[in-house]
Amino acid sequence: MTQPPQPPQQPPNEPPNTPPPAGPPSGGFGAPQDPPPGGFGQPTPPPADPFGKQPQPPQQPAAPQDAPAGGYGTPPPAGGGYPTPPAPQPNGYGYPQAPQQGYGYPQGPAGQPGQPGMPQQGYGYPTQPMQPQYGAPQPAGDGKKFSTQMQIIVAAAVAVVLIIGGGIIYASTGDDDKGGTNGASSSGATGGEAKGGEGSGLAGGDEKAPASTKSKVAFQLPEPVVTDITTVMGSWITDKAYVKSGVAEIIAYDRDKGTKLWSVPLPGEVCSASRHMSKDFKTAIVFEETKATKANKYPSCNQVGVIDMTAGKLLWSKGVTSATGGDKPIRFDEVTLSGTTVAAGGTSGGAAFKLDDGAELWKPKVGADGCYDRGYAGGEALAVVRKCGTSDSPQLTVQALNPTTGAPLSSFQMPAGVDYASIVSTKPLVVAADVGDTAGDGSGISDFFSIDAATGKLIVRIPADAEQYAARCGSTEVERCQNLAVGNNRLYVPTENHDGTSEYGETNEVVAFDLTTGKLLGGRADAGDRYSLTPLRMDGTNVIAYKEPPYDKGGQIVSIDGETFKQTLLMENPSDEAVREAERRFSTDHSEILYKDGRFFKSKRLVSKRSTSDADEKLYLVVAYRTD
């Protein structure tokens, strides 16, 4: 995603930290391992990722930094025109770009494994006439990803809406859905915004609009000083606390004041953390067996454990050996939680445990044919990506699992040309993949696959051109997708930024795909000029989304009605220079962003050694806001 140029007389972009010395980065989400992360076999290693440590790589890439400051909607400098854009930032999670190769694939019978469930004809479908595409990307130096005349289509509305001045055209065709959760209401289709009022409740969700949507800074936590790139993955909101991974510890803070409530020290650094938690506020983490020393610079991430965030203690932790034998503990790369089952995967094996006491439930089978579990996704259900074949010709299978026994409930074979797959949602089962490495932008997504978890049959395959949509998945991780939400039998995704109606600045929209038909529905939520809208999560049938602000404003949190796309403002952050600068340093693509009960948190996923130039700068691990 290209960042607009810096406004005149604004503070400079956040200076990049000095790259750490050669050596592997810390483990955790995005950490490449000798075989691909999450797996239990011995395939050829994938390209290195700058997130996390691995035991013995020859080189270490530089850590990805937050996106450059400047914000959306930055005005041009005096005298007209845009200055030369800043140096390119890492795409996605540090992966180089590949040439764009389109995204259409041969059609096979609907429902057959690995085949499209509907025609794949670029952006639209046979029933949609005159469907313009985005214009081709402009040459480097114009500071924009798309041309001024680029176009995007939103299908399935009864009316035709043309927005001329914004450099974007919305066209529609007939609505095939006749009500129910699959149909988009035409009312509020342009994403109108409603103000909150005292006692305002939002139909379809738990979040409430406060009497005043103006927020204030609750607290700001300073970034810890480290000597190497360090993973601080993991953040959660309970009924009383904001809980965040620190350097070899888990810390809880009063979610309104930021005062420390408790701390759980760990033997080593946090490598990975589940995004899920139980109803009684337990969550799972993976951490190193010991702190790094001169003799052991890169300890193994072989400990899985559960944090009780109500009691403030490490409930249990343990390492396990591989199902193939031997006494060497498994190195874990990812961990997830589904119901009362904790499932962790690694390069040489994996295991599942009981949430409350850590009793081992099952280990995945590692076949003689080289098949192994790459990693798991949790939440309302449990699913796995299982890999067979060779590194040159891999074959991936997505399976719904019985959380208690690990037995497959169904299996879907991904199409050829998929090296890695990410599970977006387990219920409904939605998978993202970059088929044939055609995305070309580091997003890890060229297509989404809606799968019947009960039968393993493909419901529909949804092309998602990376030049049009801004969702992202970790290229080697099974459960690390962001900037999207799944609910109401729909997939909500943001479009890429494009020209708005104002003289300068960019904007985008959130649109939805039907998970049964694959059709792009007619409603949309507009970010508004100079803002960029990103889905965070579902709230019942509503979508909670973050509006990344222009350089002179604070960010906003809105609730989007999942049916009408009407927006309700829940929070607007201060526009004071110091406050907005702190907020802008946390890029949407490289931060953990949480909102609940009128409280908003942005935090870093990793920190690195500071350079001499930024040694005296105020850098934050967390910035927090509240409305009440």
Side-chain angles (χ1 to χ4, degrees):
M1 182 182 295
T2 303
Q3 193 79 359
Q6 186 79 3
Q9 301 181 4
Q10 290 299 319
N13 293 341
E14 179 180 357
N17 294 342
T18 301
S26 305
F29 291 109
Q33 309 301 331
D34 289 341
F40 311 121
Q42 301 297 327
T44 302
D49 184 300
F51 286 94
K53 291 182 180 177
Q54 71 183 33
Q56 297 174 346
Q59 296 180 348
Q60 175 187 340
Q65 302 300 319
D66 290 338
Y72 295 98
T74 303
Y82 285 97
T84 302
Q89 298 298 309
N91 278 302
Y93 304 97
Y95 294 91
Q97 290 193 2
Q100 182 71 20
Q101 300 178 17
Y103 57 94
Y105 304 100
Q107 181 185 357
Q112 287 190 4
Q115 297 298 327
M118 60 188 306
Q120 307 294 318
Q121 299 186 10
Y123 184 79
Y125 302 94
T127 58
Q128 300 170 344
M130 300 180 64
Q131 298 179 20
Q133 296 272 355
Y134 275 121
Q138 296 299 300
D142 67 351
K144 297 185 182 297
K145 184 171 183 178
F146 306 111
S147 68
T148 307
Q149 300 301 322
M150 67 180 176
Q151 302 172 343
I152 185 175
I153 304 155
V154 176
V158 177
V160 175
V161 183
L162 297 179
I163 303 177
I164 305 297
I168 186 169
I169 296 178
Y170 287 88
S172 65
T173 59
D175 188 349
D176 293 333
D177 296 312
K178 306 299 181 182
T181 58
N182 295 338
S185 170
S186 59
S187 63
T190 56
E193 185 175 289
K195 296 290 184 179
E198 185 167 1
S200 296
L202 301 178
D206 294 330
E207 298 295 347
K208 308 298 180 184
S212 173
T213 58
K214 297 292 184 181
S215 73
K216 59 184 178 181
V217 175
F219 57 88
Q220 297 172 324
L221 303 178
E223 182 182 282
V225 177
V226 296
T227 58
D228 198 353
I229 185 169
T230 302
T231 302
V232 286
M233 189 79 64
S235 56
W236 307 266
I237 305 175
T238 75
D239 57 341
K240 297 179 180 179
Y242 171 73
V243 184
K244 175 65 183 170
S245 294
V247 179
E249 63 179 339
I250 305 293
I251 308 174
Y253 304 90
D254 182 287
R255 62 183 195 173
D256 292 331
K257 303 175 183 178
T259 52
K260 185 182 291 188
L261 300 178
W262 50 260
S263 174
V264 175
L266 300 171
E269 185 179 312
V270 175
C271 308
S272 179
S274 173
R275 64 178 60 182
H276 310 290
M277 60 182 178
S278 63
K279 292 181 179 179
D280 57 351
F281 305 119
K282 296 182 179 71
T283 194
I285 59 172
V286 166
F287 53 93
E288 294 173 341
E289 59 185 345
T290 185
K291 290 183 172 65
T293 63
K294 289 184 178 180
N296 184 14
K297 293 184 178 180
Y298 309 109
S300 178
C301 296
N302 57 28
Q303 297 296 301
V304 60
V306 163
I307 299 290
D308 184 332
M309 295 184 288
T310 298
K313 66 179 182 179
L314 181 64
L315 202 59
W316 58 264
S317 65
K318 62 174 56 179
V320 296
T321 56
S322 173
T324 58
D327 56 1
K328 187 175 181 180
I330 296 170
R331 179 184 175 88
F332 297 109
D333 305 311
E334 290 184 270
V335 64
T336 194
L337 174 65
S338 180
T340 58
T341 298
V342 174
T347 59
S348 58
F353 311 87
K354 286 185 178 180
L355 175 66
D356 289 336
D357 59 13
E360 188 175 310
L361 292 173
W362 48 266
K363 290 181 180 179
K365 294 180 180 179
V366 180
D369 55 358
C371 295
Y372 63 93
D373 289 3
R374 279 202 54 244
Y376 305 95
E380 292 188 59
L382 185 66
V384 64
V385 173
R386 188 166 176 83
K387 184 174 182 179
C388 298
T390 65
S391 58
D392 294 332
S393 182
Q395 179 58 65
L396 270 59
T397 302
V398 177
Q399 296 178 330
L401 300 180
N402 180 320
T404 303
T405 66
L409 303 175
S410 66
S411 296
F412 169 74
Q413 184 173 302
M414 298 295 292
V418 176
D419 294 330
Y420 302 98
S422 297
I423 298 175
V424 177
S425 166
T426 57
K427 190 176 182 180
L429 184 54
V430 181
V431 177
D434 184 0
V435 183
D437 295 325
T438 56
D441 67 341
S443 66
I445 305 171
S446 68
D447 297 80
F448 292 99
F449 298 80
S450 176
I451 302 167
D452 186 335
T455 65
K457 291 183 178 180
L458 178 68
I459 299 172
V460 69
R461 174 173 168 175
I462 304 172
D465 188 347
E467 289 193 349
Q468 294 173 322
Y469 304 108
R472 314 189 70 83
C473 291
S475 292
T476 60
E477 295 83 15
V478 168
E479 194 180 30
R480 188 171 159 201
C481 294
Q482 61 188 69
N483 305 352
L484 76 176
V486 174
N488 310 320
N489 197 43
R490 297 175 180 184
L491 169 67
Y492 298 91
V493 296
T495 66
E496 289 282 3
N497 293 321
H498 57 79
D499 290 343
T501 58
S502 62
E503 183 178 356
Y504 54 83
E506 294 186 331
T507 188
N508 79 330
E509 299 76 35
V510 168
V511 297
F513 289 96
D514 187 293
L515 290 175
T516 299
T517 66
K519 288 187 176 182
L520 186 64
L521 300 176
R524 71 181 186 277
D526 296 328
D529 274 341
R530 304 194 303 144
Y531 285 85
S532 181
L533 190 58
T534 301
L536 299 179
R537 63 174 175 88
M538 297 301 299
D539 173 35
T541 58
N542 301 332
V543 181
I544 301 299
Y546 173 58
K547 282 189 176 181
E548 190 169 356
Y551 79 98
D552 55 349
K553 301 287 186 180
Q556 298 179 359
I557 295 292
V558 296
S559 177
I560 304 172
D561 187 294
E563 183 76 15
T564 67
F565 290 86
K566 179 181 178 181
Q567 298 177 50
T568 299
L569 182 65
L570 299 179
M571 174 181 286
E572 183 170 13
N573 292 336
S575 58
D576 307 73
E577 183 176 0
V579 177
R580 70 175 190 253
E581 285 301 308
E583 180 180 359
R584 288 194 302 130
R585 286 185 180 273
F586 292 81
S587 72
T588 303
D589 284 344
H590 300 293
S591 301
E592 294 175 341
I593 304 177
L594 301 177
Y595 175 85
K596 184 176 176 61
D597 300 334
R599 297 161 179 90
F600 175 56
F601 305 89
K602 295 184 81 174
S603 66
K604 291 189 176 180
R605 295 197 297 238
L606 84 167
V607 295
S608 57
K609 181 180 178 180
R610 297 191 185 188
S611 64
T612 303
S613 60
D614 66 8
D616 297 327
E617 290 225 23
K618 288 185 177 180
L619 301 180
Y620 296 105
L621 175 67
V622 179
V623 290
Y625 308 85
R626 53 177 292 198
T627 54
D628 52 18

